[in-house]
Amino acid sequence: MAKSLRSKWKRKMRVEKRKKNAPKELSRLKSILQMDSDVLMKDVQGIATMVVPKHCQEQTQCVTEIKRNRKSLIDQHGQHPIRTNQRQRKRLKAK
């Protein structure tokens, strides 16, 4: 994207929107997980990266890292990163 004033403003507003919606998204995720009694928060931490909003960081620490193979970029579940397209995946698989 170019560095025009419009794109800078849109980028700034997207960041503000993420900050505003982060607590709601986290509470929605927790409520969904509480409905399903089989899923524990410890299990979810291994699968997804959860970032807690700044005002909640004193209460809990939920930030986890995904371990990836440096050569093939595949994580422990056999998934490629979202940013790779089909052509890149095929090229990495061929190596």
Side-chain angles (χ1 to χ4, degrees), residues 3-18:
K3 292 187 177 180
S4 65
L5 288 176
R6 183 173 184 220
S7 64
K8 287 179 184 178
W9 176 258
K10 286 188 173 279
R11 200 175 332 152
K12 179 185 172 188
M13 288 297 111
R14 277 195 302 259
V15 170
E16 293 296 321
K17 196 172 187 180
R18 272 190 228 113

Side-chain angles (χ1 to χ4, degrees), residues 41-83:
M41 287 299 280
K42 291 179 183 177
D43 297 337
V44 175
Q45 286 179 351
I47 297 170
T49 303
M50 296 171 48
V51 179
V52 181
K54 289 183 180 179
H55 63 7
C56 297
Q57 283 183 349
E58 298 127 13
Q59 298 167 0
T60 59
Q61 285 290 344
C62 296
V63 179
T64 60
E65 292 184 16
I66 297 174
K67 297 173 185 157
R68 294 199 178 277
N69 183 351
R70 287 183 164 213
K71 194 171 189 181
S72 64
L73 297 178
I74 295 176
D75 65 355
Q76 66 265 26
H77 305 292
Q79 299 293 319
H80 286 278
I82 296 171
R83 68 181 182 268

